[in-house]
Amino acid sequence: MGIFKHHKKLSTDTMSNGAKLITASNPKDPISEQFRTIRTNIDFSSVDRDLKTVLFTSADVSEGKSTVSANMAVIWAQQGKRVLFVDADLRRPTLHMTFGLVNTKGLTTYLARGADYHELLGNSGIENLTILTSGPVPPNPAELLNSKRMKDFLANSQNEFDIVMLDVPPLLSVTDTQVLSAEVDGVVLIVRQGITQKAAVQRSVELLKMVNAKVLGYVLNDVSARSGYGYGYGYGYGYK
Ligand SMILES: Nc1ncnc2c1ncn2[C@@H]1O[C@H](COP(=O)(O)OP(=O)(O)OP(=O)(O)O)[C@@H](O)[C@H]1O
Ligand SMILES: [Mg+2]
């Protein structure tokens, strides 16, 4: 695995459609510190098992899945872990925008044609962090993600990287994430403060239990300083 030295323009501004990488642009910011706290919490919640494959998901759209996942990918890479971050959101892929990559080929190229995925890996511009973009959006995402090729991909890639992370669609709208949750070592549920409905969180947890997913914990996103922690236990992130 190459060590990336050159620096690309990363998505750190509000003009971009990709996730904002504050952990890369400003590691000393309190929000970056909060992401490191999330890392510590996840480490503690998975002490008994080897956490090689992980995904962050949420009940509905726009609750911060891609933002939290991308920043956590950076945080683990900064810790020296070799991270592979995969865009498995075949409905609304954004990783290519976040990392300034072209998306003419990617995960779906491998899943549909059995291409060698090594040839599809992209340079994030951040040391230790490798990207696999989604590739062209297919008509049958759930089927592709539920395939033997996807299982093989997870089994093989985790031998080459310390952590394989998947960016995924919301749990409640399509089955893709439920399917993938059954295949990874750990799932973290993102709850957006003041937005995610309690019933939606309960339904999400049910869906994860149904497939025996290992829920490591919750990230409470967009916490307002005044309201504090709304649901069960959680790790706060983003005082904005
Ligand atoms: N803590 C936060 N504070 C402020 N804005 C945030 C925060 N978290 C996410 N956002 C913003 O909310 C929007 C949605 O975030 P993001 O794309 O990460 O969500 P998502 O769950 O991946 O969405 P989708 O369901 O479309 O995949 C983005 O514009 C993002 O910048
Ligand atoms: Mg997203």
Side-chain angles (χ1 to χ4, degrees):
M1 221 47 58
I3 294 178
F4 305 126
K5 290 251 165 64
H6 82 269
H7 294 279
K8 294 199 290 180
K9 177 153 176 21
L10 296 168
S11 177
T12 53
D13 56 54
T14 47
M15 298 303 288
S16 158
N17 290 319
K20 283 174 224 95
L21 293 173
I22 191 153
T23 45
S25 62
N26 199 349
K28 295 211 163 85
D29 190 279
I31 290 181
S32 299
E33 186 54 40
Q34 288 175 12
F35 279 115
R36 283 189 288 275
T37 304
I38 293 172
R39 179 190 69 200
T40 306
N41 279 297
I42 291 173
D43 287 347
F44 278 121
S45 65
S46 57
V47 278
D48 295 337
R49 60 183 93 97
D50 205 10
L51 187 69
K52 298 283 290 181
T53 52
V54 63
L55 66 83
F56 293 74
T57 190
S58 72
D60 293 307
V61 295
S62 295
E63 293 180 317
K65 295 175 289 297
S66 299
T67 306
V68 172
S69 302
N71 281 286
M72 288 306 298
V74 172
I75 287 288
W76 270 310
Q78 285 172 343
Q79 196 189 20
K81 294 218 156 83
R82 291 165 305 157
V83 181
L84 175 61
F85 186 25
V86 180
D87 202 340
D89 185 345
L90 304 184
R91 317 263 174 179
R92 300 216 281 180
T94 54
L95 253 69
H96 55 289
M97 294 186 267
T98 301
F99 294 96
L101 297 165
V102 288
N103 194 27
T104 47
K105 289 179 185 169
L107 179 63
T108 59
T109 318
Y110 160 78
L111 292 176
R113 297 202 235 126
D116 181 355
Y117 68 81
H118 296 93
E119 289 164 15
L120 306 168
L121 299 180
N123 183 341
S124 70
I126 292 170
E127 196 173 344
N128 296 325
L129 177 54
T130 304
I131 304 297
L132 179 55
T133 63
S134 70
V137 174
N140 54 343
E143 197 186 312
L144 286 182
L145 295 171
N146 205 8
S147 64
K148 180 171 183 300
R149 273 192 193 141
M150 187 64 196
K151 291 182 179 69
D152 289 347
F153 168 74
L154 288 171
N156 294 329
S157 59
Q158 65 179 285
N159 289 328
E160 299 170 40
F161 291 87
D162 296 318
I163 297 188
V164 179
M165 297 178 64
L166 307 178
D167 193 20
V168 296
L171 262 167
L172 298 191
S173 48
V174 287
T175 59
D176 308 19
T177 304
Q178 197 186 15
V179 164
L180 291 173
S181 296
E183 300 296 330
V184 294
D185 300 329
V187 174
V188 179
L189 197 61
I190 296 167
V191 176
R192 190 152 182 173
Q193 177 82 15
I195 303 276
T196 315
Q197 299 291 315
K198 198 171 177 190
V201 178
Q202 284 166 343
R203 180 69 188 142
S204 300
V205 172
E206 272 171 33
L207 289 174
L208 292 170
K209 277 193 183 147
M210 233 178 258
V211 295
N212 290 320
K214 293 167 195 77
V215 181
L216 301 173
Y218 302 80
V219 170
L220 200 55
N221 187 17
D222 213 7
V223 185
S224 91
R226 262 172 299 159
S227 57
Y229 289 62
Y231 304 96
Y233 60 98
Y235 326 125
Y237 146 63
Y239 292 85
K240 278 190 178 168

